[in-house]
Amino acid sequence: MTELLDEDVKTREVLAWQGVHLLHFRGSSCSQKTRIFLNLKGIDWVSHHVDLARQANYEPWFLGINPRGLVPVLVHDGVVHIESNDILAHLEEAFPEPSLIPEGRHDETLRRLEEEDDLHLDVRTLTMRFVIPKALAQKKSRSLDTYERDPGTVGGSPDTHKQVELEFWQSFARQGITDAQAQASAGRFRRVYERIEGPLREQSYLMGPELSVVDIAWFIYTHRLSEAGYPFASLHPHVHSWYRSLLRREPFAKEVRAPLPLRVITSGLHALQAVQGRSLARVAGLQEG
Ligand SMILES: N[C@@H](CCC(=O)N[C@@H](CS)C(=O)NCC(=O)O)C(=O)O
């Protein structure tokens, strides 16, 4: 669990915020996951949109709240929480009904959320290659410099995760997402989906007969990968049906609906990649069997 100390929060005004406040971005997968969780719990919350497309997450005001420069961030009664899965665990404790962690399976649920978080850079990798064109996704070097130089701390020490973020975006600026990176990321997802396909043959949800936070987390990844062109219907038909049934529910659907201009852009990207034989399925060798 990543916890901020009082001294890590340089934007002091948020410490006076009462109630539930979420700093988030409409198209961010971790923000979508958190918003679906809030919807299902029926929690009232105040929205603070952080425009990642304008790199508002590297502005001093936001870095003073989350020195890691990432959304979502929860401010609950003046306490700042970062890392989406820690945010969900906190909200589950603060708002236990309706429960989204199956009874007696708290540790297993947290482990499954950790496995999901471990694939976060993989979902970003596939997004930046197959959903958003590089010209739109690239960070300005000025923003990255501000981020790199920011002296913010996490838990009172310089943030070790920051280097991972910087390396991702610096590599992306140099070479985009390479075929090898796309293949490795798609392969890691394929292995998990092959594992969860079996249970979904017999049960409605990933942890059994009841919907849980693990379904929310994997719904988000599955949605993003579908947008990227991952062939769920042919490779993992039970995952596909599970995903489609969640997508029919408004608390899920409304959080992941991409704005029309982005849908047009992604369709154009896919049309171009199809002509070049460079779709996700082709690049990552995703065939049936
Ligand atoms: N492990 C973090 C990952 C958060 C993360 O990477 N958020 C992305 C959006 S999904 C972000 O803020 N990216 C910054 C950017 O794109 O500049 C969490 O679960 O909260």
Side-chain angles (χ1 to χ4, degrees), residues 44-90:
D44 278 337
W45 56 283
V46 182
S47 168
H48 303 262
H49 199 246
V50 180
D51 193 347
L52 296 191
R54 282 195 318 100
Q55 292 151 48
N57 53 320
Y58 295 148
E59 287 169 9
W61 183 83
F62 184 75
L63 289 175
I65 303 169
N66 184 2
R68 200 161 267 187
L70 299 174
V71 291
V73 175
L74 177 82
V75 181
H76 185 197
D77 289 340
V79 180
V80 180
H81 302 262
I82 63 169
E83 287 299 319
S84 58
N85 289 333
D86 294 344
I87 291 173
L88 300 187
H90 166 78

mmCIF file of all heavy atoms in Angstrom, residues 44-90:
data_model
loop_
_atom_site.group_PDB
_atom_site.id
_atom_site.type_symbol
_atom_site.label_atom_id
_atom_site.label_comp_id
_atom_site.label_asym_id
_atom_site.label_seq_id
_atom_site.Cartn_x
_atom_site.Cartn_y
_atom_site.Cartn_z
ATOM 1 N N ASP A 44 -21.743 9.649 -3.320
ATOM 2 C CA ASP A 44 -21.721 11.013 -3.899
ATOM 3 C C ASP A 44 -20.283 11.510 -3.902
ATOM 4 O O ASP A 44 -19.604 11.403 -2.875
ATOM 5 C CB ASP A 44 -22.516 11.978 -3.014
ATOM 6 C CG ASP A 44 -23.985 11.885 -3.312
ATOM 7 O OD1 ASP A 44 -24.338 11.449 -4.418
ATOM 8 O OD2 ASP A 44 -24.771 12.234 -2.399
ATOM 9 N N TRP A 45 -19.862 12.055 -5.028
ATOM 10 C CA TRP A 45 -18.472 12.521 -5.067
ATOM 11 C C TRP A 45 -18.361 13.781 -5.913
ATOM 12 O O TRP A 45 -19.207 14.053 -6.758
ATOM 13 C CB TRP A 45 -17.540 11.425 -5.586
ATOM 14 C CG TRP A 45 -17.891 10.861 -6.939
ATOM 15 C CD1 TRP A 45 -18.882 9.961 -7.209
ATOM 16 C CD2 TRP A 45 -17.266 11.144 -8.188
ATOM 17 N NE1 TRP A 45 -18.910 9.676 -8.548
ATOM 18 C CE2 TRP A 45 -17.922 10.379 -9.173
ATOM 19 C CE3 TRP A 45 -16.201 11.960 -8.585
ATOM 20 C CZ2 TRP A 45 -17.556 10.410 -10.527
ATOM 21 C CZ3 TRP A 45 -15.835 11.986 -9.928
ATOM 22 C CH2 TRP A 45 -16.508 11.210 -10.878
ATOM 23 N N VAL A 46 -17.289 14.521 -5.632
ATOM 24 C CA VAL A 46 -17.047 15.769 -6.354
ATOM 25 C C VAL A 46 -15.959 15.494 -7.388
ATOM 26 O O VAL A 46 -14.913 14.910 -7.068
ATOM 27 C CB VAL A 46 -16.580 16.876 -5.371
ATOM 28 C CG1 VAL A 46 -16.381 18.191 -6.102
ATOM 29 C CG2 VAL A 46 -17.575 17.019 -4.227
ATOM 30 N N SER A 47 -16.229 15.932 -8.614
ATOM 31 C CA SER A 47 -15.300 15.643 -9.721
ATOM 32 C C SER A 47 -14.299 16.783 -9.917
ATOM 33 O O SER A 47 -14.679 17.956 -9.951
ATOM 34 C CB SER A 47 -16.140 15.457 -10.989
ATOM 35 O OG SER A 47 -15.307 15.450 -12.114
ATOM 36 N N HIS A 48 -13.028 16.418 -10.076
ATOM 37 C CA HIS A 48 -11.980 17.391 -10.438
ATOM 38 C C HIS A 48 -11.272 16.792 -11.645
ATOM 39 O O HIS A 48 -10.485 15.839 -11.500
ATOM 40 C CB HIS A 48 -10.970 17.581 -9.302
ATOM 41 C CG HIS A 48 -11.605 18.018 -8.014
ATOM 42 N ND1 HIS A 48 -11.642 19.334 -7.618
ATOM 43 C CD2 HIS A 48 -12.243 17.314 -7.049
ATOM 44 C CE1 HIS A 48 -12.271 19.425 -6.452
ATOM 45 N NE2 HIS A 48 -12.642 18.213 -6.087
ATOM 46 N N HIS A 49 -11.609 17.307 -12.815
ATOM 47 C CA HIS A 49 -11.048 16.696 -14.026
ATOM 48 C C HIS A 49 -9.617 17.171 -14.242
ATOM 49 O O HIS A 49 -9.346 18.368 -14.204
ATOM 50 C CB HIS A 49 -11.922 17.042 -15.235
ATOM 51 C CG HIS A 49 -11.699 16.137 -16.390
ATOM 52 N ND1 HIS A 49 -11.157 16.551 -17.571
ATOM 53 C CD2 HIS A 49 -11.909 14.797 -16.521
ATOM 54 C CE1 HIS A 49 -11.059 15.511 -18.384
ATOM 55 N NE2 HIS A 49 -11.516 14.435 -17.775
ATOM 56 N N VAL A 50 -8.705 16.222 -14.442
ATOM 57 C CA VAL A 50 -7.292 16.556 -14.678
ATOM 58 C C VAL A 50 -7.014 16.159 -16.129
ATOM 59 O O VAL A 50 -7.016 14.971 -16.471
ATOM 60 C CB VAL A 50 -6.372 15.749 -13.726
ATOM 61 C CG1 VAL A 50 -4.902 16.080 -13.969
ATOM 62 C CG2 VAL A 50 -6.751 16.030 -12.269
ATOM 63 N N ASP A 51 -6.818 17.145 -16.980
ATOM 64 C CA ASP A 51 -6.752 16.862 -18.409
ATOM 65 C C ASP A 51 -5.368 16.308 -18.798
ATOM 66 O O ASP A 51 -4.423 17.059 -19.035
ATOM 67 C CB ASP A 51 -7.060 18.163 -19.181
ATOM 68 C CG ASP A 51 -7.313 17.879 -20.652
ATOM 69 O OD1 ASP A 51 -7.010 16.754 -21.102
ATOM 70 O OD2 ASP A 51 -7.808 18.793 -21.343
ATOM 71 N N LEU A 52 -5.287 14.983 -18.867
ATOM 72 C CA LEU A 52 -3.993 14.362 -19.219
ATOM 73 C C LEU A 52 -3.577 14.743 -20.635
ATOM 74 O O LEU A 52 -2.390 14.814 -20.944
ATOM 75 C CB LEU A 52 -4.080 12.838 -19.123
ATOM 76 C CG LEU A 52 -4.354 12.200 -17.753
ATOM 77 C CD1 LEU A 52 -4.131 10.696 -17.817
ATOM 78 C CD2 LEU A 52 -3.507 12.802 -16.659
ATOM 79 N N ALA A 53 -4.568 14.983 -21.515
ATOM 80 C CA ALA A 53 -4.236 15.339 -22.899
ATOM 81 C C ALA A 53 -3.477 16.674 -22.938
ATOM 82 O O ALA A 53 -2.679 16.905 -23.852
ATOM 83 C CB ALA A 53 -5.509 15.418 -23.728
ATOM 84 N N ARG A 54 -3.728 17.520 -21.940
ATOM 85 C CA ARG A 54 -2.992 18.795 -21.856
ATOM 86 C C ARG A 54 -1.832 18.705 -20.853
ATOM 87 O O ARG A 54 -1.236 19.685 -20.481
ATOM 88 C CB ARG A 54 -3.932 19.931 -21.434
ATOM 89 C CG ARG A 54 -4.831 20.461 -22.551
ATOM 90 C CD ARG A 54 -5.461 21.807 -22.163
ATOM 91 N NE ARG A 54 -5.938 21.852 -20.772
ATOM 92 C CZ ARG A 54 -5.275 22.410 -19.750
ATOM 93 N NH1 ARG A 54 -4.105 22.988 -19.937
ATOM 94 N NH2 ARG A 54 -5.776 22.383 -18.526
ATOM 95 N N GLN A 55 -1.594 17.498 -20.367
ATOM 96 C CA GLN A 55 -0.502 17.238 -19.427
ATOM 97 C C GLN A 55 -0.639 18.037 -18.132
ATOM 98 O O GLN A 55 0.351 18.472 -17.525
ATOM 99 C CB GLN A 55 0.841 17.457 -20.120
ATOM 100 C CG GLN A 55 1.046 16.373 -21.173
ATOM 101 C CD GLN A 55 1.882 16.759 -22.365
ATOM 102 O OE1 GLN A 55 2.945 17.315 -22.186
ATOM 103 N NE2 GLN A 55 1.419 16.436 -23.554
ATOM 104 N N ALA A 56 -1.906 18.232 -17.734
ATOM 105 C CA ALA A 56 -2.185 18.958 -16.489
ATOM 106 C C ALA A 56 -1.662 18.190 -15.277
ATOM 107 O O ALA A 56 -1.489 18.764 -14.200
ATOM 108 C CB ALA A 56 -3.688 19.191 -16.354
ATOM 109 N N ASN A 57 -1.406 16.902 -15.463
ATOM 110 C CA ASN A 57 -0.876 16.092 -14.343
ATOM 111 C C ASN A 57 0.577 16.434 -14.022
ATOM 112 O O ASN A 57 1.108 15.993 -13.010
ATOM 113 C CB ASN A 57 -1.009 14.593 -14.644
ATOM 114 C CG ASN A 57 -0.409 14.180 -15.969
ATOM 115 O OD1 ASN A 57 -0.546 14.885 -16.960
ATOM 116 N ND2 ASN A 57 0.263 13.055 -16.013
ATOM 117 N N TYR A 58 1.241 17.203 -14.892
ATOM 118 C CA TYR A 58 2.625 17.604 -14.598
ATOM 119 C C TYR A 58 2.695 19.055 -14.111
ATOM 120 O O TYR A 58 3.775 19.613 -13.961
ATOM 121 C CB TYR A 58 3.512 17.425 -15.837
ATOM 122 C CG TYR A 58 3.653 15.972 -16.271
ATOM 123 C CD1 TYR A 58 3.804 15.634 -17.615
ATOM 124 C CD2 TYR A 58 3.638 14.940 -15.342
ATOM 125 C CE1 TYR A 58 3.925 14.308 -18.011
ATOM 126 C CE2 TYR A 58 3.747 13.609 -15.733
ATOM 127 C CZ TYR A 58 3.889 13.308 -17.067
ATOM 128 O OH TYR A 58 4.010 11.997 -17.461
ATOM 129 N N GLU A 59 1.522 19.662 -13.916
ATOM 130 C CA GLU A 59 1.542 21.041 -13.401
ATOM 131 C C GLU A 59 1.790 21.005 -11.889
ATOM 132 O O GLU A 59 1.375 20.050 -11.215
ATOM 133 C CB GLU A 59 0.213 21.742 -13.721
ATOM 134 C CG GLU A 59 0.130 22.069 -15.206
ATOM 135 C CD GLU A 59 -1.249 22.518 -15.667
ATOM 136 O OE1 GLU A 59 -2.131 22.744 -14.801
ATOM 137 O OE2 GLU A 59 -1.429 22.622 -16.888
ATOM 138 N N PRO A 60 2.469 22.041 -11.364
ATOM 139 C CA PRO A 60 2.843 22.035 -9.940
ATOM 140 C C PRO A 60 1.656 21.800 -9.005
ATOM 141 O O PRO A 60 1.788 21.112 -7.994
ATOM 142 C CB PRO A 60 3.446 23.431 -9.719
ATOM 143 C CG PRO A 60 3.895 23.860 -11.074
ATOM 144 C CD PRO A 60 2.988 23.216 -12.077
ATOM 145 N N TRP A 61 0.474 22.346 -9.357
ATOM 146 C CA TRP A 61 -0.698 22.180 -8.473
ATOM 147 C C TRP A 61 -1.004 20.694 -8.294
ATOM 148 O O TRP A 61 -1.221 20.227 -7.175
ATOM 149 C CB TRP A 61 -1.913 22.906 -9.081
ATOM 150 C CG TRP A 61 -3.127 22.842 -8.205
ATOM 151 C CD1 TRP A 61 -3.409 23.665 -7.147
ATOM 152 C CD2 TRP A 61 -4.219 21.910 -8.282
ATOM 153 N NE1 TRP A 61 -4.608 23.295 -6.564
ATOM 154 C CE2 TRP A 61 -5.130 22.229 -7.241
ATOM 155 C CE3 TRP A 61 -4.524 20.839 -9.134
ATOM 156 C CZ2 TRP A 61 -6.315 21.526 -7.027
ATOM 157 C CZ3 TRP A 61 -5.707 20.133 -8.914
ATOM 158 C CH2 TRP A 61 -6.588 20.476 -7.879
ATOM 159 N N PHE A 62 -0.990 19.944 -9.404
ATOM 160 C CA PHE A 62 -1.331 18.525 -9.295
ATOM 161 C C PHE A 62 -0.173 17.722 -8.676
ATOM 162 O O PHE A 62 -0.389 16.849 -7.825
ATOM 163 C CB PHE A 62 -1.718 17.942 -10.668
ATOM 164 C CG PHE A 62 -2.159 16.508 -10.550
ATOM 165 C CD1 PHE A 62 -3.407 16.191 -10.022
ATOM 166 C CD2 PHE A 62 -1.311 15.467 -10.903
ATOM 167 C CE1 PHE A 62 -3.811 14.860 -9.853
ATOM 168 C CE2 PHE A 62 -1.695 14.132 -10.742
ATOM 169 C CZ PHE A 62 -2.955 13.832 -10.222
ATOM 170 N N LEU A 63 1.060 18.050 -9.063
ATOM 171 C CA LEU A 63 2.209 17.323 -8.472
ATOM 172 C C LEU A 63 2.288 17.572 -6.963
ATOM 173 O O LEU A 63 2.816 16.740 -6.225
ATOM 174 C CB LEU A 63 3.517 17.737 -9.162
ATOM 175 C CG LEU A 63 3.676 17.229 -10.602
ATOM 176 C CD1 LEU A 63 4.943 17.804 -11.242
ATOM 177 C CD2 LEU A 63 3.706 15.699 -10.668
ATOM 178 N N GLY A 64 1.719 18.690 -6.541
ATOM 179 C CA GLY A 64 1.664 18.971 -5.101
ATOM 180 C C GLY A 64 0.633 18.102 -4.383
ATOM 181 O O GLY A 64 0.587 18.071 -3.150
ATOM 182 N N ILE A 65 -0.220 17.417 -5.160
ATOM 183 C CA ILE A 65 -1.199 16.497 -4.555
ATOM 184 C C ILE A 65 -0.715 15.054 -4.734
ATOM 185 O O ILE A 65 -0.675 14.272 -3.790
ATOM 186 C CB ILE A 65 -2.596 16.677 -5.206
ATOM 187 C CG1 ILE A 65 -3.046 18.130 -5.064
ATOM 188 C CG2 ILE A 65 -3.609 15.723 -4.567
ATOM 189 C CD1 ILE A 65 -4.270 18.481 -5.892
ATOM 190 N N ASN A 66 -0.361 14.715 -5.970
ATOM 191 C CA ASN A 66 0.249 13.399 -6.208
ATOM 192 C C ASN A 66 1.598 13.583 -6.900
ATOM 193 O O ASN A 66 1.667 13.778 -8.116
ATOM 194 C CB ASN A 66 -0.658 12.519 -7.081
ATOM 195 C CG ASN A 66 -0.058 11.126 -7.249
ATOM 196 O OD1 ASN A 66 0.998 10.825 -6.677
ATOM 197 N ND2 ASN A 66 -0.702 10.283 -8.037
ATOM 198 N N PRO A 67 2.692 13.513 -6.141
ATOM 199 C CA PRO A 67 4.029 13.737 -6.701
ATOM 200 C C PRO A 67 4.361 12.712 -7.790
ATOM 201 O O PRO A 67 5.270 12.912 -8.586
ATOM 202 C CB PRO A 67 4.956 13.544 -5.496
ATOM 203 C CG PRO A 67 4.075 13.618 -4.299
ATOM 204 C CD PRO A 67 2.704 13.206 -4.719
ATOM 205 N N ARG A 68 3.602 11.613 -7.834
ATOM 206 C CA ARG A 68 3.795 10.572 -8.850
ATOM 207 C C ARG A 68 3.235 11.025 -10.204
ATOM 208 O O ARG A 68 3.511 10.414 -11.230
ATOM 209 C CB ARG A 68 3.061 9.328 -8.336
ATOM 210 C CG ARG A 68 3.474 8.064 -8.928
ATOM 211 C CD ARG A 68 3.062 6.886 -8.067
ATOM 212 N NE ARG A 68 4.134 6.531 -7.162
ATOM 213 C CZ ARG A 68 4.130 5.460 -6.385
ATOM 214 N NH1 ARG A 68 3.101 4.636 -6.401
ATOM 215 N NH2 ARG A 68 5.155 5.193 -5.602
ATOM 216 N N GLY A 69 2.411 12.063 -10.189
ATOM 217 C CA GLY A 69 1.894 12.622 -11.451
ATOM 218 C C GLY A 69 0.852 11.759 -12.129
ATOM 219 O O GLY A 69 0.680 11.842 -13.347
ATOM 220 N N LEU A 70 0.149 10.929 -11.375
ATOM 221 C CA LEU A 70 -0.813 9.991 -11.977
ATOM 222 C C LEU A 70 -2.206 10.209 -11.413
ATOM 223 O O LEU A 70 -2.370 10.591 -10.244
ATOM 224 C CB LEU A 70 -0.385 8.549 -11.684
ATOM 225 C CG LEU A 70 0.982 8.113 -12.228
ATOM 226 C CD1 LEU A 70 1.323 6.714 -11.722
ATOM 227 C CD2 LEU A 70 1.018 8.148 -13.747
ATOM 228 N N VAL A 71 -3.207 9.923 -12.241
ATOM 229 C CA VAL A 71 -4.590 9.868 -11.763
ATOM 230 C C VAL A 71 -5.005 8.401 -11.735
ATOM 231 O O VAL A 71 -4.426 7.588 -12.469
ATOM 232 C CB VAL A 71 -5.551 10.669 -12.693
ATOM 233 C CG1 VAL A 71 -5.294 12.139 -12.592
ATOM 234 C CG2 VAL A 71 -5.513 10.191 -14.132
ATOM 235 N N PRO A 72 -5.982 8.055 -10.907
ATOM 236 C CA PRO A 72 -6.795 8.917 -10.077
ATOM 237 C C PRO A 72 -6.143 9.220 -8.730
ATOM 238 O O PRO A 72 -5.234 8.511 -8.303
ATOM 239 C CB PRO A 72 -8.056 8.080 -9.861
ATOM 240 C CG PRO A 72 -7.547 6.669 -9.821
ATOM 241 C CD PRO A 72 -6.437 6.637 -10.843
ATOM 242 N N VAL A 73 -6.686 10.282 -8.101
ATOM 243 C CA VAL A 73 -6.353 10.595 -6.710
ATOM 244 C C VAL A 73 -7.683 10.804 -5.986
ATOM 245 O O VAL A 73 -8.591 11.438 -6.538
ATOM 246 C CB VAL A 73 -5.524 11.899 -6.615
ATOM 247 C CG1 VAL A 73 -5.290 12.279 -5.153
ATOM 248 C CG2 VAL A 73 -4.201 11.767 -7.340
ATOM 249 N N LEU A 74 -7.776 10.246 -4.804
ATOM 250 C CA LEU A 74 -8.964 10.453 -3.978
ATOM 251 C C LEU A 74 -8.586 11.366 -2.823
ATOM 252 O O LEU A 74 -7.535 11.164 -2.198
ATOM 253 C CB LEU A 74 -9.426 9.103 -3.411
ATOM 254 C CG LEU A 74 -10.626 9.149 -2.464
ATOM 255 C CD1 LEU A 74 -11.928 9.207 -3.255
ATOM 256 C CD2 LEU A 74 -10.648 7.924 -1.543
ATOM 257 N N VAL A 75 -9.415 12.370 -2.581
ATOM 258 C CA VAL A 75 -9.259 13.127 -1.335
ATOM 259 C C VAL A 75 -10.540 12.872 -0.539
ATOM 260 O O VAL A 75 -11.640 13.210 -1.001
ATOM 261 C CB VAL A 75 -9.059 14.639 -1.586
ATOM 262 C CG1 VAL A 75 -8.872 15.368 -0.252
ATOM 263 C CG2 VAL A 75 -7.865 14.892 -2.496
ATOM 264 N N HIS A 76 -10.400 12.201 0.584
ATOM 265 C CA HIS A 76 -11.570 11.860 1.389
ATOM 266 C C HIS A 76 -11.429 12.520 2.753
ATOM 267 O O HIS A 76 -10.509 12.174 3.506
ATOM 268 C CB HIS A 76 -11.681 10.324 1.519
ATOM 269 C CG HIS A 76 -12.930 9.887 2.247
ATOM 270 N ND1 HIS A 76 -13.081 8.639 2.774
ATOM 271 C CD2 HIS A 76 -14.086 10.554 2.515
ATOM 272 C CE1 HIS A 76 -14.270 8.548 3.357
ATOM 273 N NE2 HIS A 76 -14.889 9.700 3.211
ATOM 274 N N ASP A 77 -12.317 13.445 3.023
ATOM 275 C CA ASP A 77 -12.273 14.205 4.278
ATOM 276 C C ASP A 77 -10.860 14.718 4.572
ATOM 277 O O ASP A 77 -10.314 14.520 5.669
ATOM 278 C CB ASP A 77 -12.784 13.334 5.447
ATOM 279 C CG ASP A 77 -14.294 13.111 5.342
ATOM 280 O OD1 ASP A 77 -14.964 13.905 4.643
ATOM 281 O OD2 ASP A 77 -14.793 12.143 5.934
ATOM 282 N N GLY A 78 -10.257 15.313 3.541
ATOM 283 C CA GLY A 78 -8.963 15.967 3.715
ATOM 284 C C GLY A 78 -7.762 15.035 3.727
ATOM 285 O O GLY A 78 -6.639 15.487 3.936
ATOM 286 N N VAL A 79 -7.983 13.729 3.455
ATOM 287 C CA VAL A 79 -6.830 12.806 3.392
ATOM 288 C C VAL A 79 -6.641 12.387 1.930
ATOM 289 O O VAL A 79 -7.607 12.012 1.249
ATOM 290 C CB VAL A 79 -7.053 11.557 4.287
ATOM 291 C CG1 VAL A 79 -5.849 10.630 4.207
ATOM 292 C CG2 VAL A 79 -7.312 11.988 5.725
ATOM 293 N N VAL A 80 -5.390 12.477 1.473
ATOM 294 C CA VAL A 80 -5.105 12.178 0.064
ATOM 295 C C VAL A 80 -4.723 10.713 -0.089
ATOM 296 O O VAL A 80 -3.850 10.206 0.627
ATOM 297 C CB VAL A 80 -3.936 13.071 -0.442
ATOM 298 C CG1 VAL A 80 -3.625 12.770 -1.905
ATOM 299 C CG2 VAL A 80 -4.264 14.548 -0.255
ATOM 300 N N HIS A 81 -5.378 10.047 -1.054
ATOM 301 C CA HIS A 81 -5.062 8.642 -1.339
ATOM 302 C C HIS A 81 -4.663 8.547 -2.806
ATOM 303 O O HIS A 81 -5.376 9.062 -3.676
ATOM 304 C CB HIS A 81 -6.287 7.749 -1.119
ATOM 305 C CG HIS A 81 -6.846 7.825 0.269
ATOM 306 N ND1 HIS A 81 -6.554 6.900 1.242
ATOM 307 C CD2 HIS A 81 -7.680 8.738 0.852
ATOM 308 C CE1 HIS A 81 -7.198 7.228 2.362
ATOM 309 N NE2 HIS A 81 -7.874 8.329 2.153
ATOM 310 N N ILE A 82 -3.551 7.859 -3.073
ATOM 311 C CA ILE A 82 -3.149 7.629 -4.461
ATOM 312 C C ILE A 82 -3.151 6.124 -4.713
ATOM 313 O O ILE A 82 -3.353 5.341 -3.781
ATOM 314 C CB ILE A 82 -1.764 8.253 -4.787
ATOM 315 C CG1 ILE A 82 -0.652 7.601 -3.936
ATOM 316 C CG2 ILE A 82 -1.786 9.759 -4.566
ATOM 317 C CD1 ILE A 82 0.746 7.974 -4.395
ATOM 318 N N GLU A 83 -2.940 5.731 -5.972
ATOM 319 C CA GLU A 83 -2.950 4.327 -6.424
ATOM 320 C C GLU A 83 -4.383 3.803 -6.400
ATOM 321 O O GLU A 83 -4.987 3.621 -5.325
ATOM 322 C CB GLU A 83 -2.028 3.441 -5.572
ATOM 323 C CG GLU A 83 -0.565 3.668 -5.838
ATOM 324 C CD GLU A 83 -0.176 3.356 -7.282
ATOM 325 O OE1 GLU A 83 -0.655 2.349 -7.838
ATOM 326 O OE2 GLU A 83 0.598 4.139 -7.876
ATOM 327 N N SER A 84 -4.906 3.519 -7.571
ATOM 328 C CA SER A 84 -6.341 3.210 -7.682
ATOM 329 C C SER A 84 -6.768 2.030 -6.812
ATOM 330 O O SER A 84 -7.829 2.075 -6.192
ATOM 331 C CB SER A 84 -6.718 2.960 -9.145
ATOM 332 O OG SER A 84 -5.961 1.907 -9.684
ATOM 333 N N ASN A 85 -5.948 0.991 -6.735
ATOM 334 C CA ASN A 85 -6.404 -0.165 -5.949
ATOM 335 C C ASN A 85 -6.402 0.134 -4.449
ATOM 336 O O ASN A 85 -7.248 -0.372 -3.715
ATOM 337 C CB ASN A 85 -5.582 -1.412 -6.284
ATOM 338 C CG ASN A 85 -5.929 -1.908 -7.685
ATOM 339 O OD1 ASN A 85 -7.039 -1.685 -8.167
ATOM 340 N ND2 ASN A 85 -4.985 -2.559 -8.345
ATOM 341 N N ASP A 86 -5.471 0.980 -4.014
ATOM 342 C CA ASP A 86 -5.494 1.408 -2.605
ATOM 343 C C ASP A 86 -6.722 2.285 -2.355
ATOM 344 O O ASP A 86 -7.339 2.231 -1.283
ATOM 345 C CB ASP A 86 -4.217 2.178 -2.246
ATOM 346 C CG ASP A 86 -2.981 1.278 -2.300
ATOM 347 O OD1 ASP A 86 -3.149 0.042 -2.308
ATOM 348 O OD2 ASP A 86 -1.858 1.811 -2.348
ATOM 349 N N ILE A 87 -7.071 3.082 -3.369
ATOM 350 C CA ILE A 87 -8.266 3.932 -3.254
ATOM 351 C C ILE A 87 -9.511 3.049 -3.104
ATOM 352 O O ILE A 87 -10.368 3.274 -2.241
ATOM 353 C CB ILE A 87 -8.387 4.848 -4.499
ATOM 354 C CG1 ILE A 87 -7.274 5.899 -4.484
ATOM 355 C CG2 ILE A 87 -9.766 5.499 -4.582
ATOM 356 C CD1 ILE A 87 -7.175 6.751 -5.738
ATOM 357 N N LEU A 88 -9.584 1.991 -3.926
ATOM 358 C CA LEU A 88 -10.766 1.115 -3.864
ATOM 359 C C LEU A 88 -10.832 0.391 -2.518
ATOM 360 O O LEU A 88 -11.910 0.269 -1.925
ATOM 361 C CB LEU A 88 -10.750 0.093 -5.014
ATOM 362 C CG LEU A 88 -10.748 0.694 -6.432
ATOM 363 C CD1 LEU A 88 -10.908 -0.403 -7.483
ATOM 364 C CD2 LEU A 88 -11.840 1.737 -6.607
ATOM 365 N N ALA A 89 -9.680 -0.051 -2.028
ATOM 366 C CA ALA A 89 -9.669 -0.751 -0.728
ATOM 367 C C ALA A 89 -10.131 0.209 0.371
ATOM 368 O O ALA A 89 -10.903 -0.158 1.257
ATOM 369 C CB ALA A 89 -8.275 -1.291 -0.434
ATOM 370 N N HIS A 90 -9.681 1.447 0.288
ATOM 371 C CA HIS A 90 -10.096 2.436 1.288
ATOM 372 C C HIS A 90 -11.606 2.684 1.209
ATOM 373 O O HIS A 90 -12.305 2.719 2.225
ATOM 374 C CB HIS A 90 -9.335 3.753 1.082
ATOM 375 C CG HIS A 90 -9.932 4.889 1.841
ATOM 376 N ND1 HIS A 90 -9.730 5.050 3.198
ATOM 377 C CD2 HIS A 90 -10.797 5.881 1.456
ATOM 378 C CE1 HIS A 90 -10.425 6.100 3.611
ATOM 379 N NE2 HIS A 90 -11.079 6.620 2.577
#
